[in-house]
Amino acid sequence: MLTAAKDFLKIYWPLVLVAIGGIVLTLMLMDPAPPKTIRFAAGSPGGAYYAFAERYQRLLAEEDVEVELVQTAGSVENLRLLDEGQVDVALVQGGLATPGDAQTLRSLGGLFHEPFWVFVRDEAGATQFGQLRDKRLAIGPVGSGTRLLAIELQEEFHGVWPDMTRNSLSGSAAAEALIAGQLDAAAFAASPDAPYVQTLLRAPGISLMPFARAEALSRRQPALADVTLLRGVVDIGSDLPAEDIPLVAPVAQLVVNKSLHPAIEALLVDAASAIHQDGSLLARAGTFPDPDATDLPVSRQAERYYENGPSFLRRYFSFDVANFLDRAWILAIPLLTLLFPLVRVAPPIYRWRVRRKIYIWYKDLRDLEARGRAMPTKEERAAITDELEDLQAEIGELDVPLSYTDDLYRLRNHVEFVKHLVMNTRPTPGLGV
């Protein structure tokens, strides 16, 4: 076993050195490893964005990627933080991105409908959005997507509204103020799963305002889709809602800074598929994530994922191993291309080197034979035989693999033959072999 290993190293040691050098070069030149920590702009605690961000945090933690949640006022601030590079990923309400954002940001796909809910106290007597012009209406804080969308829709209904009617409460705080009678109405751009939305859908004395012209609004506002909250979809037993309610809804999307490592993008898309592929009150299962429901360019990594699913390596290896192999493979291809011909040529080169060690002695043997046969006296020929014996001793110390031993012994026999030839033949001056 040791002899076989020794012979192998003798043949392939140059290839071993090339392989080791190639591995070192590959490690030096391959793309950097993905970060182990990323920052996620998550909105405010208690909101749907924050709840979803926590789910991403848990899923990525299973792959040893730490997600640091950053509290924000909402989508507008999320976009700003992404543009400034202060966060790596964020949930963003559709329709808020600007042309400048498209230069630095990439979308990983639309994730869920985010209806524009407007809940109104029955005593306020408002059944249409335009009738809230002089009511106490909560539209969220500055920097939130809800506020921006509410202002855009207010402008659609009778132009600019007075600032005094725009309350900055949002989320659970706005819902509690509405239930307590401190507000006449509250608007939210949120997932149907948001706890405060579920609470208000069941709250007595509070109604969800329908947008009868939802389809017309979706035509005028490309970022909006017209959706319908179907009768009984919230609670079949209680027939809640009691009728179909038309709504308008942007689509929330997962947005990253385009400098984010592609492997992390793939991990996020994988998590998005696990989190958002189930149906909701407004969409059938499999509707999301949707690469077409975005207002930002979709990253190339996400496009590949949507077309082909997880990479071959990712299906069979952990995230760290798959990522390493994926990065190393690009540089391994030229290395393997170089090694294949070297592997084929190594044995012939080695055979030539070994036989050259043996055959080089034949030159000395030939010279000694010619000298010995040319010597006139027996004593002089005896000196030549002494040199032949020295030559034979040197040959005996030659180390060759077992497979070449026959060549070595053939040479030693030839030396012995020349010794007898020199001692037993008459001198023939000038004769050479």
Side-chain angles (χ1 to χ4, degrees), residues 19-358:
I20 293 174
I23 292 172
V24 172
L25 184 64
T26 298
L27 294 174
M28 292 173 60
L29 296 181
M30 71 166 52
D31 292 335
K36 284 296 186 181
T37 302
I38 61 172
R39 290 169 59 82
F40 196 125
S44 57
Y49 280 10
Y50 203 90
F52 279 124
E54 289 178 322
R55 295 179 66 180
Y56 280 95
Q57 185 183 48
R58 288 193 293 270
L59 287 178
L60 267 66
E62 296 176 2
E63 304 294 345
D64 296 323
V65 176
E66 180 184 355
V67 177
E68 180 183 341
L69 301 184
V70 179
Q71 297 183 23
T72 67
S75 290
V76 174
E77 186 178 0
N78 290 357
L79 280 172
R80 178 181 63 79
L81 294 176
L82 281 168
D83 281 325
E84 295 174 355
Q86 297 187 43
V87 297
D88 304 296
V89 58
L91 290 165
V92 175
Q93 178 182 303
L96 300 183
T98 66
D101 294 327
Q103 302 300 316
T104 58
L105 306 181
R106 294 293 179 266
S107 175
L108 301 185
L111 303 180
F112 53 87
H113 286 120
E114 203 170 17
F116 186 67
W117 311 90
V118 180
F119 291 97
V120 184
R121 292 187 64 84
D122 294 342
E123 62 196 45
T127 58
Q128 298 181 28
F129 191 66
Q131 295 173 346
L132 297 176
R133 180 181 175 85
D134 57 353
K135 305 296 183 182
R136 297 171 299 170
L137 172 63
I139 62 172
V142 175
S144 69
T146 298
R147 187 180 189 88
L148 191 58
L149 179 56
I151 292 174
E152 289 179 356
L153 291 178
Q154 286 175 350
E155 292 173 353
E156 290 281 1
F157 291 88
H158 310 298
V160 179
W161 291 19
D163 286 338
M164 61 180 296
T165 65
R166 297 171 177 171
N167 191 288
S168 61
L169 288 176
S170 67
S172 300
E176 293 171 1
L178 182 62
I179 292 172
Q182 299 169 5
L183 296 171
D184 298 311
F188 311 90
S191 162
D193 299 323
Y196 52 83
V197 171
Q198 291 293 318
T199 297
L200 290 174
L201 285 170
R202 294 171 171 80
I206 294 176
S207 300
L208 175 61
M209 178 177 288
F211 280 80
R213 290 168 284 182
E215 186 173 359
L217 283 171
S218 68
R219 301 287 180 87
R220 291 176 60 86
Q221 300 278 349
L224 298 178
D226 59 293
V227 296
T228 301
L229 190 68
L230 298 174
R231 177 179 177 178
V233 73
V234 176
D235 190 331
I236 290 288
S238 302
D239 195 26
L240 184 67
E243 58 184 3
D244 290 352
I245 300 179
L247 300 171
V248 291
V251 174
Q253 57 188 319
L254 194 62
V255 180
V256 299
N257 192 292
K258 71 176 185 179
S259 63
L260 185 63
H261 197 287
I264 298 296
E265 290 185 10
L267 201 57
L268 287 167
V269 178
D270 196 31
S273 298
I275 294 171
H276 303 287
Q277 67 181 350
D278 295 335
S280 69
L281 297 182
L282 299 171
R284 295 182 182 276
T287 302
F288 296 107
D290 183 358
D292 297 321
T294 68
D295 59 353
L296 285 167
V298 178
S299 79
R300 284 182 291 180
Q301 183 68 35
E303 287 178 344
R304 285 194 292 268
Y305 189 99
Y306 288 121
E307 289 177 3
N308 306 314
S311 68
F312 172 82
L313 293 173
R314 188 67 183 87
R315 292 170 185 166
Y316 298 101
F317 297 98
S318 67
F319 172 70
D320 287 336
V321 173
N323 178 256
F324 174 80
L325 294 176
D326 187 54
R327 290 181 294 123
W329 180 249
I330 297 175
L331 293 175
I333 291 175
L335 178 62
L336 293 174
T337 304
L338 175 65
L339 284 177
F340 284 144
L342 290 178
V343 169
R344 295 186 61 182
V345 78
I349 292 176
Y350 181 70
R351 283 196 297 271
W352 174 81
R353 290 178 63 245
V354 172
R355 285 175 176 170
R356 183 176 177 274
K357 288 181 180 180
I358 296 173

Side-chain angles (χ1 to χ4, degrees), residues 348-418:
I349 292 176
Y350 181 70
R351 283 196 297 271
W352 174 81
R353 290 178 63 245
V354 172
R355 285 175 176 170
R356 183 176 177 274
K357 288 181 180 180
I358 296 173
Y359 294 157
I360 199 171
W361 296 104
Y362 278 99
K363 181 178 181 297
D364 295 337
L365 182 60
R366 181 176 177 175
D367 291 341
L368 288 171
E369 180 185 357
R371 287 168 53 200
R373 294 178 66 182
M375 291 299 174
T377 66
K378 186 175 182 179
E379 290 75 12
E380 290 174 321
R381 291 197 300 274
I384 296 299
T385 60
D386 290 340
E387 291 187 45
L388 286 169
E389 289 177 356
D390 292 340
L391 179 64
Q392 196 169 35
E394 290 181 23
I395 294 172
E397 295 176 357
L398 185 63
D399 183 22
V400 296
L402 290 175
S403 57
Y404 296 93
T405 309
D406 56 341
D407 292 325
L408 182 63
Y409 279 98
R410 189 179 301 114
L411 172 60
R412 297 177 71 177
N413 286 334
H414 288 166
V415 174
E416 192 66 29
F417 168 76
V418 171

